[in-house]
Short mmCIF file of all heavy atoms in Angstrom, two decimals:
data_model
loop_
_atom_site.label_atom_id
_atom_site.label_comp_id
_atom_site.label_asym_id
_atom_site.label_seq_id
_atom_site.Cartn_x
_atom_site.Cartn_y
_atom_site.Cartn_z
N SER A 201 -4.95 -23.78 -4.12
CA SER A 201 -4.71 -24.14 -5.50
C SER A 201 -3.25 -24.53 -5.74
O SER A 201 -2.96 -25.34 -6.64
CB SER A 201 -5.09 -22.98 -6.43
OG SER A 201 -4.30 -21.84 -6.15
N ILE A 202 -2.33 -23.96 -4.95
CA ILE A 202 -0.89 -24.23 -5.20
C ILE A 202 -0.43 -25.52 -4.55
O ILE A 202 0.47 -26.20 -5.08
CB ILE A 202 -0.09 -23.02 -4.69
CG1 ILE A 202 -0.34 -21.78 -5.55
CG2 ILE A 202 1.43 -23.32 -4.66
CD1 ILE A 202 0.28 -20.53 -5.03
N LYS A 203 -1.02 -25.91 -3.41
CA LYS A 203 -0.47 -27.06 -2.68
C LYS A 203 -0.63 -28.36 -3.46
O LYS A 203 0.01 -29.36 -3.10
CB LYS A 203 -1.11 -27.16 -1.31
CG LYS A 203 -2.57 -27.63 -1.34
CD LYS A 203 -3.09 -27.79 0.09
CE LYS A 203 -4.50 -28.36 0.11
NZ LYS A 203 -4.99 -28.57 1.50
N GLU A 204 -1.49 -28.40 -4.44
CA GLU A 204 -1.67 -29.61 -5.25
C GLU A 204 -0.81 -29.61 -6.50
O GLU A 204 -0.91 -30.56 -7.32
CB GLU A 204 -3.15 -29.77 -5.64
CG GLU A 204 -4.11 -29.77 -4.47
CD GLU A 204 -3.89 -30.96 -3.54
OE1 GLU A 204 -3.32 -31.97 -4.01
OE2 GLU A 204 -4.24 -30.86 -2.36
N LYS A 205 0.02 -28.60 -6.71
CA LYS A 205 0.84 -28.56 -7.91
C LYS A 205 1.96 -29.59 -7.84
O LYS A 205 2.33 -30.09 -6.78
CB LYS A 205 1.46 -27.16 -8.06
CG LYS A 205 0.43 -26.04 -8.21
CD LYS A 205 -0.30 -26.11 -9.51
CE LYS A 205 -1.26 -24.94 -9.70
NZ LYS A 205 -2.02 -25.01 -10.95
N GLU A 206 2.54 -29.87 -9.04
CA GLU A 206 3.54 -30.92 -9.12
C GLU A 206 4.82 -30.57 -8.38
O GLU A 206 5.46 -31.42 -7.74
CB GLU A 206 3.88 -31.22 -10.59
CG GLU A 206 2.77 -31.89 -11.38
CD GLU A 206 1.69 -30.92 -11.84
OE1 GLU A 206 1.85 -29.71 -11.57
OE2 GLU A 206 0.71 -31.37 -12.45
N PHE A 207 5.24 -29.27 -8.40
CA PHE A 207 6.49 -28.91 -7.73
C PHE A 207 6.37 -29.05 -6.23
O PHE A 207 7.36 -29.33 -5.54
CB PHE A 207 6.94 -27.53 -8.18
CG PHE A 207 6.04 -26.42 -7.70
CD1 PHE A 207 6.25 -25.76 -6.51
CD2 PHE A 207 4.99 -26.01 -8.53
CE1 PHE A 207 5.44 -24.72 -6.12
CE2 PHE A 207 4.17 -24.98 -8.13
CZ PHE A 207 4.38 -24.33 -6.91
N VAL A 208 5.18 -28.80 -5.68
CA VAL A 208 4.98 -29.01 -4.24
C VAL A 208 5.02 -30.48 -3.89
O VAL A 208 5.65 -30.90 -2.90
CB VAL A 208 3.65 -28.37 -3.80
CG1 VAL A 208 3.40 -28.62 -2.30
CG2 VAL A 208 3.64 -26.88 -4.07
N GLU A 209 4.37 -31.33 -4.71
CA GLU A 209 4.43 -32.75 -4.46
C GLU A 209 5.85 -33.29 -4.60
O GLU A 209 6.28 -34.17 -3.87
CB GLU A 209 3.52 -33.48 -5.46
CG GLU A 209 2.02 -33.17 -5.30
CD GLU A 209 1.48 -33.68 -3.98
OE1 GLU A 209 2.03 -34.64 -3.43
OE2 GLU A 209 0.49 -33.07 -3.48
N GLY A 210 6.60 -32.70 -5.57
CA GLY A 210 7.99 -33.13 -5.73
C GLY A 210 8.84 -32.77 -4.53
O GLY A 210 9.71 -33.54 -4.12
N ALA A 211 8.62 -31.59 -3.97
CA ALA A 211 9.36 -31.18 -2.77
C ALA A 211 9.06 -32.11 -1.61
O ALA A 211 9.94 -32.47 -0.83
CB ALA A 211 9.03 -29.74 -2.45
N ARG A 212 7.79 -32.48 -1.47
CA ARG A 212 7.44 -33.41 -0.38
C ARG A 212 8.10 -34.77 -0.61
O ARG A 212 8.57 -35.40 0.34
CB ARG A 212 5.92 -33.58 -0.32
CG ARG A 212 5.16 -32.36 0.24
CD ARG A 212 3.68 -32.61 0.06
NE ARG A 212 2.89 -31.57 0.75
CZ ARG A 212 1.59 -31.48 0.62
NH1 ARG A 212 0.92 -32.36 -0.13
NH2 ARG A 212 0.91 -30.52 1.25
N ALA A 213 8.09 -35.21 -1.87
CA ALA A 213 8.69 -36.54 -2.15
C ALA A 213 10.19 -36.55 -1.87
O ALA A 213 10.75 -37.61 -1.50
CB ALA A 213 8.44 -36.91 -3.61
N LEU A 214 10.86 -35.40 -2.01
CA LEU A 214 12.30 -35.32 -1.72
C LEU A 214 12.59 -35.16 -0.24
O LEU A 214 13.75 -35.04 0.15
CB LEU A 214 12.91 -34.15 -2.51
CG LEU A 214 12.96 -34.32 -4.02
CD1 LEU A 214 13.47 -33.05 -4.70
CD2 LEU A 214 13.86 -35.50 -4.39
N GLY A 215 11.55 -35.11 0.59
CA GLY A 215 11.75 -35.08 2.02
C GLY A 215 11.69 -33.69 2.65
O GLY A 215 12.05 -33.53 3.80
N ALA A 216 11.21 -32.69 1.93
CA ALA A 216 11.11 -31.33 2.48
C ALA A 216 10.02 -31.31 3.54
O ALA A 216 8.95 -31.89 3.37
CB ALA A 216 10.79 -30.32 1.37
N GLY A 217 10.32 -30.66 4.64
CA GLY A 217 9.36 -30.58 5.75
C GLY A 217 8.29 -29.54 5.50
O GLY A 217 8.25 -28.82 4.49
N PHE A 218 7.37 -29.42 6.50
CA PHE A 218 6.25 -28.49 6.36
C PHE A 218 6.73 -27.06 6.23
O PHE A 218 6.27 -26.33 5.31
CB PHE A 218 5.38 -28.60 7.61
CG PHE A 218 4.30 -27.59 7.69
CD1 PHE A 218 3.12 -27.71 6.95
CD2 PHE A 218 4.46 -26.46 8.49
CE1 PHE A 218 2.15 -26.73 7.01
CE2 PHE A 218 3.47 -25.48 8.57
CZ PHE A 218 2.33 -25.63 7.84
N GLY A 219 7.67 -26.64 7.06
CA GLY A 219 8.13 -25.25 7.02
C GLY A 219 8.83 -24.93 5.72
O GLY A 219 8.65 -23.85 5.13
N ARG A 220 9.69 -25.83 5.23
CA ARG A 220 10.42 -25.57 4.00
C ARG A 220 9.48 -25.51 2.79
O ARG A 220 9.64 -24.66 1.93
CB ARG A 220 11.48 -26.65 3.80
CG ARG A 220 12.35 -26.41 2.57
CD ARG A 220 13.44 -27.47 2.45
NE ARG A 220 14.31 -27.22 1.29
CZ ARG A 220 15.34 -26.40 1.26
NH1 ARG A 220 15.64 -25.72 2.37
NH2 ARG A 220 16.05 -26.24 0.19
N VAL A 221 8.52 -26.43 2.74
CA VAL A 221 7.56 -26.41 1.63
C VAL A 221 6.77 -25.11 1.65
O VAL A 221 6.55 -24.49 0.58
CB VAL A 221 6.63 -27.62 1.71
CG1 VAL A 221 5.53 -27.54 0.68
CG2 VAL A 221 7.43 -28.90 1.47
N MET A 222 6.36 -24.70 2.82
CA MET A 222 5.53 -23.49 2.91
C MET A 222 6.33 -22.24 2.56
O MET A 222 5.87 -21.39 1.77
CB MET A 222 4.99 -23.36 4.35
CG MET A 222 4.11 -22.12 4.59
SD MET A 222 2.59 -22.16 3.66
CE MET A 222 1.72 -23.45 4.52
N ILE A 223 7.54 -22.10 3.09
CA ILE A 223 8.30 -20.86 2.92
C ILE A 223 8.99 -20.80 1.58
O ILE A 223 9.02 -19.74 0.91
CB ILE A 223 9.35 -20.73 4.06
CG1 ILE A 223 8.62 -20.59 5.41
CG2 ILE A 223 10.26 -19.53 3.84
CD1 ILE A 223 9.55 -20.58 6.60
N ARG A 224 9.53 -21.93 1.09
CA ARG A 224 10.32 -21.92 -0.14
C ARG A 224 9.50 -22.14 -1.40
O ARG A 224 9.92 -21.74 -2.49
CB ARG A 224 11.41 -23.01 -0.04
CG ARG A 224 12.45 -22.77 1.03
CD ARG A 224 13.33 -21.58 0.70
NE ARG A 224 14.04 -21.77 -0.54
CZ ARG A 224 15.19 -22.40 -0.65
NH1 ARG A 224 15.76 -22.90 0.45
NH2 ARG A 224 15.80 -22.50 -1.83
N HIS A 225 8.32 -22.75 -1.28
CA HIS A 225 7.59 -23.15 -2.50
C HIS A 225 6.20 -22.54 -2.57
O HIS A 225 5.78 -22.02 -3.59
CB HIS A 225 7.51 -24.67 -2.60
CG HIS A 225 8.84 -25.35 -2.63
ND1 HIS A 225 9.63 -25.35 -3.75
CD2 HIS A 225 9.53 -26.01 -1.67
CE1 HIS A 225 10.76 -26.03 -3.51
NE2 HIS A 225 10.72 -26.40 -2.25
N VAL A 226 5.43 -22.62 -1.48
CA VAL A 226 4.03 -22.24 -1.54
C VAL A 226 3.87 -20.73 -1.46
O VAL A 226 3.23 -20.10 -2.33
CB VAL A 226 3.22 -22.95 -0.43
CG1 VAL A 226 1.77 -22.48 -0.44
CG2 VAL A 226 3.27 -24.45 -0.61
N LEU A 227 4.40 -20.11 -0.40
CA LEU A 227 4.20 -18.68 -0.21
C LEU A 227 4.78 -17.82 -1.34
O LEU A 227 4.13 -16.85 -1.77
CB LEU A 227 4.80 -18.24 1.14
CG LEU A 227 3.94 -18.62 2.38
CD1 LEU A 227 4.62 -18.10 3.65
CD2 LEU A 227 2.54 -18.06 2.26
N PRO A 228 5.99 -18.08 -1.87
CA PRO A 228 6.45 -17.27 -3.01
C PRO A 228 5.52 -17.35 -4.21
O PRO A 228 5.37 -16.35 -4.92
CB PRO A 228 7.82 -17.87 -3.32
CG PRO A 228 8.30 -18.46 -2.03
CD PRO A 228 7.06 -18.97 -1.38
#
Side-chain angles (χ1 to χ4, degrees):
S201 61
I202 292 173
K203 73 176 185 178
E204 303 298 335
K205 299 292 184 180
E206 290 80 3
F207 66 92
V208 177
E209 295 295 334
R212 287 173 173 172
L214 291 175
F218 171 80
R220 184 177 180 84
V221 172
M222 179 67 70
I223 296 175
R224 295 292 300 274
H225 301 283
V226 176
L227 284 182

